[in-house]
């Protein structure tokens, strides 16, 4: 049986180990925060004017809202893809509705929308999302990373002068940045051209996770084994995170299925 001194020594070692783990976790979060801040700044400087790689749903609504509120169209599309995958009837557990997931009633009424049914009109909803992003960009001195964090977490929880923001806000910024890469044609599906309809691109669900970091880790593992795989993930209204394989046609589906098998994952 361990002596009192030995128990104290073990507790001290455990405390030190936990402290180092906390410091490492904090350092990693701060690094990711800085990386995303830089990535969004580079986008704002060099790529915000690029045309989308596809014809996305509700295209006129997005182009009008982008022009009227001086928000890059590709940014609005990235937020919409990550929030609802362009589904006008989408609804989340947090009572957010429509294409860019406007929270009811708080955010909606703040934006001058008095009826819940109005959020299911795509143009009304997208205009509201663009206005909200414009407002947040003003609050955060045009810092896209922080504005997106606030779009997800609420502006009252994001301090523009802090060196760090909540982990959940960091992952959301990275999540939208991944969807931005898709919108701009930087994903793994090649030969994207503007006259290709987004609705023509297939999606096959691989797995669903309860936590975002598990979905991200799963994608990372598969992409390391098969870099040409076209994978994405979506936060669904249930609060779960769905990893999907995207493909342009039957040949690309079969090619991706082979790569998945080689990476140790078999489609049903």
């Amino acid at each position: 049986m361990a002596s009192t001194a030995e128990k104290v020594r073990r507790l001290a070692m455990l405390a030190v180990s936990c402290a180092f783990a906390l410091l490492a976790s904090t350092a990693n979060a701060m690094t990711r925060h800085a990386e995303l801040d830089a990535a969004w700044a580079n986008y704002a400087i060099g790529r915000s004017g690029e045309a989308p790689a596809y014809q996305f749903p509700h295209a006129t609504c997005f182009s009008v809202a982008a022009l009227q509120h001086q928000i890059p169209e590709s940014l609005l599309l990235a937020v919409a893809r990550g929030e609802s995958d362009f589904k006008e009837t989408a609804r989340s557990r947090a009572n957010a509705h429509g294409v860019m997931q406007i929270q009811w009633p708080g955010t909606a009424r703040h934006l001058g929308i008095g009826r819940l049914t109005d959020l299911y009109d795509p143009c009304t909803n997208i205009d509201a999302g663009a206005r909200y992003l414009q407002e947040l960009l003003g609050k955060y001195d045009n810092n896209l990373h922080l504005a997106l964090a606030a779009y997800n977490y609420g502006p009252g929880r994001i301090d523009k002068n802090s060196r760090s923001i909540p982990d959940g806000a960091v992952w959301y910024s990275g999540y939208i940045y991944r969807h931005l890469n898709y919108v701009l044609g930087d994903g793994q599906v090649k030969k994207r051209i503007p006259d290709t309809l987004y609705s023509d691109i297939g999606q096959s669900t691989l797995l669903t996770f309860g936590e975002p970091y598990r979905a991200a880790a799963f994608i990372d593992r598969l992409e390391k084994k098969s870099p040409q795989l076209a994978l994405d993930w979506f936060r669904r209204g249930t609060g779960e995170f769905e990893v999907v394989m995207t493909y342009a046609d039957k040949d690309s589906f079969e090619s991706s299925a082979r790569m998945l098998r080689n990476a140790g994952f078999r489609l049903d």
Side-chain angles (χ1 to χ4, degrees):
M1 188 172 182
S3 66
T4 300
E6 178 63 17
K7 290 180 180 179
V8 171
R9 187 184 70 82
R10 290 178 181 176
L11 286 172
M13 291 178 63
L14 178 61
V16 170
S17 176
C18 289
F20 275 115
L22 179 60
L23 286 171
S25 176
T26 301
N28 288 338
M30 290 179 66
T31 298
R32 182 61 174 154
H33 172 53
E35 289 173 347
L36 285 166
D37 193 24
W40 281 111
N42 288 336
Y43 158 76
I45 294 170
R47 305 198 65 188
S48 60
E50 288 188 19
Y54 290 126
Q55 284 191 18
F56 288 93
H58 320 302
T60 300
C61 302
F62 282 108
S63 61
V64 169
L67 182 63
Q68 184 170 352
H69 302 295
Q70 297 298 296
I71 301 290
E73 185 175 352
S74 55
L75 174 61
L76 295 180
L77 290 166
V79 173
R81 189 170 190 257
E83 285 286 352
S84 67
D85 200 17
F86 305 102
K87 295 178 176 62
E88 58 265 34
T89 58
R91 177 178 177 178
S92 78
R93 293 191 305 178
N95 211 24
H97 300 259
V99 176
M100 290 176 65
Q101 293 289 274
I102 306 301
Q103 191 271 336
W104 175 265
T107 304
R109 288 179 175 165
H110 169 73
L111 294 168
I113 297 173
R115 297 188 305 175
L116 176 59
T117 54
D118 289 343
L119 292 178
Y120 293 107
D121 173 70
C123 284
T124 299
N125 191 298
I126 291 164
D127 179 79
R131 284 191 286 122
Y132 192 40
L133 275 172
Q134 182 188 53
E135 178 183 320
L136 293 171
L137 283 167
K139 176 180 176 64
Y140 293 100
D141 300 327
N142 289 317
N143 184 303
L144 279 169
H145 173 53
L146 294 180
L148 286 166
Y151 190 93
N152 177 244
Y153 250 55
R157 302 173 67 186
I158 305 297
D159 182 356
K160 72 177 182 180
N161 297 315
S162 176
R163 294 182 60 198
S164 63
I165 59 176
D167 289 347
V170 173
W171 86 253
Y172 180 81
S173 174
Y175 170 73
I176 297 300
Y177 191 78
R178 184 179 181 98
H179 287 287
L180 176 73
N181 287 336
Y182 185 96
V183 168
L184 292 176
D186 293 344
Q188 299 299 338
V189 175
K190 306 301 182 183
K191 298 181 180 178
R192 294 180 173 173
I193 50 178
D195 59 354
T196 300
L197 295 176
Y198 178 71
S199 57
D200 289 341
I201 304 302
Q203 293 181 4
S204 183
T205 300
L206 303 185
L207 283 176
T208 300
F209 297 87
E211 300 292 340
Y213 70 88
R214 294 187 183 277
F218 177 71
I219 289 177
D220 184 61
R221 179 171 66 85
L222 287 181
E223 288 182 337
K224 284 180 178 177
K225 291 183 177 181
S226 296
Q228 295 304 310
L229 276 171
L231 302 177
D232 252 315
W233 59 312
F234 294 90
R235 182 181 61 179
R236 300 307 188 189
T238 59
E240 295 180 312
F241 299 84
E242 189 176 88
V243 176
V244 304
M245 177 186 77
T246 61
Y247 52 92
D249 49 36
K250 181 180 178 181
D251 289 342
S252 65
F253 174 86
E254 292 177 350
S255 175
S256 293
R258 286 194 296 272
M259 285 189 283
L260 280 173
R261 288 194 294 272
N262 292 336
F265 185 91
R266 184 177 294 275
L267 286 170
D268 293 334

